[in-house]
Amino acid sequence: MVAERTGSIEVRVGRIGRPHGVRGALTVALYTDEPERRFAEGQRLTDANSFRSWTVAKSHWHQGRLLLSLEGVEDRNAAEALRGVELMASTPADEAAEGPEEYWDRQLIGLGVLSAEGESVGTIVSVAHPPAQDLLEIELSGGGRTFVPFVRALVPEVDLGAGTVSLAPVEGLLDPADTSS
């Protein structure tokens, strides 16, 4: 989910998991590649599904898991009440990923999809992040949707300026996904 705000956008950065300890610390399932930045002390986080918000009091790593303390969440009961909350953080709308071949979901969603021959074949409607490989969900111009693994061999070109991605000439790549199951 991406919501526009004046000069900034809200991006999903994590989901609150179970409490850790008795002083209100929270575990966080991360949706960001920049946890040190998104969960820095003083960062403002909002609930994706309500108007609630919190300020990060402290965050640190413990046994490979991010632990988060929020101002006003002082005990285990308060922490347990937040379990499952999707957290959003504000970021400048024009900010880009650092690496030359790195993209944020919000940059890809809405891009036109071109076949290997340069014909418009659809639009990216979402980006999924299963454990094995990121997947571009494409709404096909002729109807239906398909998923394309977001790897250079299948998506050789991303042109943010032109608003397009180009696909490799792979047979069956644009076959609609079977969603009957």
Side-chain angles (χ1 to χ4, degrees), residues 20-157:
H20 180 82
V22 296
R23 296 193 180 123
L26 306 157
T27 59
V28 178
L30 299 175
Y31 298 164
T32 178
D33 291 338
E34 303 175 307
E36 291 79 12
R37 179 175 171 203
R38 303 297 181 203
F39 297 98
E41 186 175 332
Q43 174 71 33
R44 195 83 178 145
L45 300 173
T46 58
D47 181 337
N49 298 311
S50 77
F51 294 104
R52 297 183 297 177
S53 65
W54 306 270
T55 300
V56 174
K58 180 175 122 180
S59 67
H60 67 280
W61 294 95
H62 176 70
Q63 296 180 349
R65 179 173 288 176
L66 181 69
L67 296 183
L68 181 65
S69 296
L70 301 173
E71 291 180 8
V73 180
E74 306 296 331
D75 60 34
R76 187 174 185 88
N77 290 336
E80 183 64 44
L82 297 178
R83 192 175 205 168
V85 168
E86 300 277 333
L87 296 170
M88 308 288 285
S90 182
T91 188
D94 60 352
E95 186 176 53
E98 291 182 8
E101 292 188 11
E102 294 180 10
Y103 305 96
W104 288 325
D105 294 1
R106 63 186 159 104
Q107 293 176 293
L108 298 170
I109 294 171
L111 293 182
V113 179
L114 304 176
S115 68
E117 294 78 30
E119 297 173 19
S120 177
V121 293
T123 304
I124 298 173
V125 293
S126 74
V127 182
H129 302 282
Q133 181 61 56
D134 293 345
L135 297 171
L136 301 177
E137 182 179 6
I138 300 170
E139 186 171 319
L140 299 169
S141 301
R145 292 186 179 202
T146 193
F147 292 90
V148 173
F150 190 38
V151 295
R152 182 178 267 295
L154 299 176
V155 186
E157 184 179 1

Side-chain angles (χ1 to χ4, degrees), residues 4-9 91-96 106:
E4 294 286 341
R5 291 199 350 193
T6 311
S8 67
I9 59 172
T91 188
D94 60 352
E95 186 176 53
R106 63 186 159 104

